[in-house]
């Protein structure tokens, strides 16, 4: 376990500085910043290169391919990671080429994501036991979703992917939350005696993201981009399915859920009140920025909440 962690950590740490230089040369303007975003972000974040998720994923994939047994579960995890990374890459590339924060069509991205997720779950189901469609709730109680499990599982994967994507709005925020989530899922996998290869995959992600965090700490030298956030989120969702603790992820990733709900609530309220807002800005981390919290304060406090939620989730849902 230490070996795969070090491989992922060191690989990511070695190549990220070169990637930062490369992306700075290729696109001097860096990641486009939303025009209605906080003014401070234009000053501190303009010109920062993006797509650092490429190095994260390359490190993870290399570590898994060299160190993890490639059974059907791992192969499907790699398929999920790669597919969502490609979607994110195309979105990032489009943003950089047209120099706009608007990427590919949201509807198209969601449809492709659901297709990839559903196909992956269907394949996994064909290799799994008869209780695959059972969802673990609490104290050993389960519910059989039967045919509804496929769309449910696909929703978990797509929801997690986009939740991480929405959270990736402050330096270190998505990275710290992702590390906590992978650590919690890895521990959960160990406690429920899941496939050791799933645990190793979680460790590989932790190592790669830790190295990325070194360069993503405020003020960030690079952003992970959609190529990183979408694939990391999809991996979290799929791993929760592999260890049959789908509901657990919602609590472990409570910050991701909160960020997503803040966007949904804001959108619905704004639409039906014709311009009124509940939050000063969404996702909710921007609301706290508007309230005067510093970027670092938000990241640390959100991380503290994530750790507490993870401990409670593991205590009550395992």
């Amino acid at each position: 376990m230490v070996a795969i962690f070090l491989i992922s950590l060191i690989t990511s740490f070695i190549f990220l500085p070169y990637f930062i230089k490369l992306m700075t040369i290729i696109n001097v303007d860096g990641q486009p910043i939303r025009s209605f975003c906080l003014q401070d972000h234009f000053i501190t974040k303009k010109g920062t290169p993006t797509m650092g998720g490429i190095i994260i994923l390359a490190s993870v994939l290399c570590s898994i391919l060299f160190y993890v047994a490639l059974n059907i579960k791992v192969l499907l995890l790699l398929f999920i990671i790669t597919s969502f990374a490609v979607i994110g890459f195309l979105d990032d590339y489009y943003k950089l080429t047209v120099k706009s924060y608007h990427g590919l069509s949201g509807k198209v991205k969601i449809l492709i994501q659901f297709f990839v997720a559903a196909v992956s779950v269907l394949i996994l189901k064909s290799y799994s036991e008869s209780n695959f469609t059972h969802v673990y709730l609490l104290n050993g109680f389960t519910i059989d979703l039967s045919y509804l499990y496929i769309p449910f599982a696909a929703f978990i994967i797509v929801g997690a992917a986009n939740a991480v994507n929405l959270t990736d709005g402050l330096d270190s925020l998505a990275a710290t939350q992702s590390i906590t989530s992978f650590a919690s899922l890895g521990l959960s996998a160990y406690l429920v005696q899941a496939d050791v290869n799933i645990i190793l995959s979680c460790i590989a992600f932790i190592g790669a993201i830790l190295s990325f965090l070194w360069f993503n700490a405020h003020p960030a030298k690079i952003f992970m981009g959609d190529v990183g956030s979408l694939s990391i989120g999809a991996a979290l969702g799929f791993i929760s399915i592999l260890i049959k603790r789908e509901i657990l992820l919602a609590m472990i990733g409570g910050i991701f859920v909160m960020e997503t709900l803040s966007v949904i609530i804001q959108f619905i309220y704004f639409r039906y009140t014709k311009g009124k807002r509940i939050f000063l800005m969404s996702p909710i981390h921007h609301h706290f920025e508007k309230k005067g919290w510093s970027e670092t304060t938000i990241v640390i406090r959100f991380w503290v909440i994530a750790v507490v939620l993870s401990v409670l989730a593991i205590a009550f849902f395992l």
Side-chain angles (χ1 to χ4, degrees):
M1 290 187 180
V2 175
I4 193 170
F5 172 77
L6 290 176
I7 291 171
S8 184
L9 179 82
I10 294 171
T11 303
S12 182
F13 194 81
I14 289 174
F15 286 101
L16 269 168
Y18 296 102
F19 186 79
I20 292 170
K21 291 179 181 178
L22 175 64
M23 290 303 294
T24 302
I25 295 171
I26 293 175
N27 194 288
V28 293
D29 294 328
Q31 177 171 298
I33 308 298
R34 293 188 296 178
S35 58
F36 52 87
C37 201
L38 294 168
Q39 187 63 34
D40 179 61
H41 284 206
F42 283 102
I43 300 171
T44 60
K45 301 183 186 302
K46 186 178 180 181
T48 304
T50 186
M51 299 174 76
I54 291 175
I55 301 300
I56 295 175
L57 297 177
S59 302
V60 169
L61 292 176
C62 288
S63 302
I64 291 176
L65 289 173
F66 280 106
Y67 201 81
V68 176
L70 299 180
N71 56 32
I72 187 62
K73 292 180 179 179
V74 175
L75 289 173
L76 285 173
L77 177 61
L78 294 178
F79 173 70
I80 284 281
I81 294 169
T82 306
S83 299
F84 276 74
V86 170
I87 297 169
F89 174 84
L90 293 174
D91 199 39
D92 286 333
Y93 181 77
Y94 183 81
K95 290 176 185 176
L96 292 175
T97 52
V98 302
K99 300 187 184 303
S100 169
Y101 70 89
H102 291 293
L104 302 173
S105 166
K107 291 180 180 179
V108 172
K109 285 191 294 184
I110 292 295
L111 285 173
I112 297 173
Q113 289 170 19
F114 264 107
F115 175 77
V116 171
V119 168
S120 301
V121 176
L122 277 169
I123 295 173
L124 180 63
K125 182 178 182 295
S126 67
Y127 284 89
S128 301
E129 298 175 359
S130 58
N131 64 348
F132 176 74
T133 57
H134 289 233
V135 176
Y136 182 92
L137 297 177
L138 190 64
N139 295 327
F141 180 73
T142 63
I143 181 172
D144 185 6
L145 294 182
S146 188
Y147 293 106
L148 292 176
Y149 184 81
I150 303 301
F152 168 76
F155 175 79
I156 293 292
I157 296 168
V158 175
N162 288 278
V164 175
N165 184 246
L166 288 172
T167 306
D168 187 29
L170 298 179
D171 298 347
S172 305
L173 182 56
T176 52
Q177 294 296 320
S178 298
I179 289 169
T180 305
S181 295
F182 277 115
S184 301
L185 283 179
L187 177 59
S188 301
Y190 173 77
L191 293 174
V192 300
Q193 298 181 333
D195 188 343
V196 67
N197 296 298
I198 299 172
I199 302 172
L200 292 173
S201 298
C202 289
I203 293 172
F205 267 104
I206 293 170
I209 300 173
L210 271 174
S211 284
F212 172 79
L213 185 58
W214 183 271
F215 301 96
N216 185 238
H218 184 70
K221 292 181 174 61
I222 190 167
F223 302 136
M224 68 169 63
D226 288 5
V227 64
S229 59
L230 287 178
S231 52
I232 287 171
L236 288 170
F238 194 65
I239 288 171
S240 74
I241 292 168
L242 290 176
I243 67 173
K244 300 307 299 171
R245 290 298 184 273
E246 300 90 345
I247 304 301
L248 180 73
L249 179 62
M251 192 165 181
I252 287 174
I255 294 296
F256 295 135
V257 174
M258 182 177 70
E259 295 274 15
T260 305
L261 288 177
S262 71
V263 173
I264 295 171
I265 292 169
Q266 184 88 319
F267 174 79
I268 294 173
Y269 190 78
F270 183 87
R271 182 172 181 178
Y272 286 97
T273 59
K274 298 181 179 179
K276 293 182 180 180
R277 291 177 171 85
I278 292 180
F279 305 105
L280 297 177
M281 190 174 180
S282 66
I284 200 167
H285 56 259
H286 289 317
H287 169 81
F288 288 110
E289 277 192 295
K290 289 274 192 178
K291 296 282 285 185
W293 291 21
S294 70
E295 194 163 343
T296 304
T297 298
I298 295 170
V299 171
I300 292 175
R301 288 178 178 174
F302 276 30
W303 175 74
V304 171
I305 294 171
V307 171
V308 172
L309 288 175
S310 294
V311 171
L312 292 175
I314 292 171
F316 288 104
F317 282 89
L318 289 183

